[in-house]
Amino acid sequence: MREGSLEAPTRHPLDWENPDFYDEAKLDAEMRRVLDICHGCRRCFNLCDSFPRLFDLVDESANGELDTVASADFKKVVDACTLCDMCFLTKCPYVPPHEFNLDFPHLMLRYRAVEAKKKGIGAADRALAETDRNGKWATLISGAVNWATRRGGPMRGLEEKIAGVDKNAELPKYAAQTLEARAKANPLPRNAAGPGKARKIVLYATCYGDYNDTSIGMAALGVLARNGVETKVLNPHCCGMPKLEQGLIGEVADAARKVAAAFASYIDQGYDIVAPVPSCALMLKFEWPLILPNDESVKKLAAATFDLSEYVVDIAKKEGLAEGMQSIDGGVAFHMSCHSRAQNFGQKGAELLRLIPDADVAVVERCSGHGGAWGYKKGNFETAMKVGKPAMRQLDAVGKKHIVSECPLAGIHIEQGIESLAGDAPKPERVGHPIVLMARAYGLASER
Ligand code: SF4
Ligand code: SF4
């Protein structure tokens, strides 16, 4: 819920195809207008590192006002933004329709788009954002890749120098088989009499779900099949979030067109599209329609897309879930990720967990600090740990057996942060998504 405004926030389309969007003088004027409002307001002081950096710049300037802060220093503010959207969605009273018309995350995105156009993107950053290409080859040699990228491994110093990935950051592992291949090799029996028998979905595997942690997709397919839902798996293209982080809006638009085209005929046949990663669901539902507001396929896809937790809870509410779940051993500390919150649908992951008999769920709704690939880059990792510390401490303090975030990279980051906290109590076991625990409750195996 957003503070301080009675009207529902709206978000304007991104004007990225207008040459003015890239005009540096106009961008500077807009940065000064918005940052000055933020300096006067300061509500967002504890959300991330962008705002403290801004307020330090102002407080340490010659006259304590924004007009004596050098424009070159605005980059420090922009660089700390993970595009989590929390300032826009939970704090800011000045978002449209307010006359101040503030959209802080989209201004940070515009700054990055202008920089990307002017200077280009470094080879290492570009390589990191090519998640489809990386996933395709890395799954072929996953043993070697996982060995070479393991934390504390002998290659990490070199990788830090070449790829700009902080040597201390835990990185996602690659699967030996993609989700698409695994699902094909292990077809799951569908309970044709299940409560969701009238439903059919395409699971948008996503890069992370297809190439890294396939347990999430297998658990989702298992739970949905048990409930009678007809399922297919497709991974037509990355949603483009890693490119959005770098301001490559045109490339995100290309990704949107490709994915929307791949799903169009399924939507026409009555399939819902289900995304297991909140950032990817957010892209399909909200960001793409703001990037391509006149594209009918993108609009149609946005209307047909559900977040995985949202979808299972919807079945439970409308048709009820299939019987047969047993309680799981131990409680669950659930991290509500920023991109789940940004979908504005309540705590769907926690609702899903509470559908498991006798579930003991504690919810922590604070940013993990990670922000996608942003959080494991050299120069950002320390900040990501600092910003995430309060969430990590709270999730550890509730003393549950399991820990889970719907955001897979946040989950890995939180697990690493909790490991470093003092105390002799056993650390919680991380699972990849609440659906994995529900699959266990149904007695369905979903190892990685
Ligand atoms: S989008 Fe998130 S990281 Fe960026 S400024 Fe807003 S709260 Fe901070
Ligand atoms: S984004 Fe909005 S709420 Fe946050 S500091 Fe700026 S004006 Fe205030």
Side-chain angles (χ1 to χ4, degrees), residues 37-38 41-44 51 91-94 102:
I37 295 171
C38 291
C41 161
R42 301 205 173 203
R43 277 179 177 79
C44 293
F51 293 100
K91 290 277 181 205
C92 192
Y94 306 127
L102 234 88

Side-chain angles (χ1 to χ4, degrees), residues 408-428:
L409 295 180
I412 294 171
H413 184 65
I414 288 167
E415 183 181 38
Q416 180 175 359
I418 286 180
E419 234 181 74
S420 67
L421 296 176
D424 298 331
K427 299 299 181 198

Side-chain angles (χ1 to χ4, degrees), residues 34 55 63 69 176 179 191 211 219 234 321 329 364 372 396 408:
V34 170
F55 304 145
N63 65 355
V69 175
L179 175 65
N191 170 15
Y211 305 119
L234 276 183
L321 285 186
D329 177 29
V364 171
D396 189 45

Side-chain angles (χ1 to χ4, degrees), residues 24 42 65 86 95 157 166 174 214 227 263 309 389 394:
E24 287 182 59
R42 301 205 173 203
E65 295 295 339
M86 287 301 100
V95 302
D166 194 298
Y174 281 96
T214 57
N227 278 279
F263 286 142
S309 298
K389 229 14 150 220
Q394 286 175 26

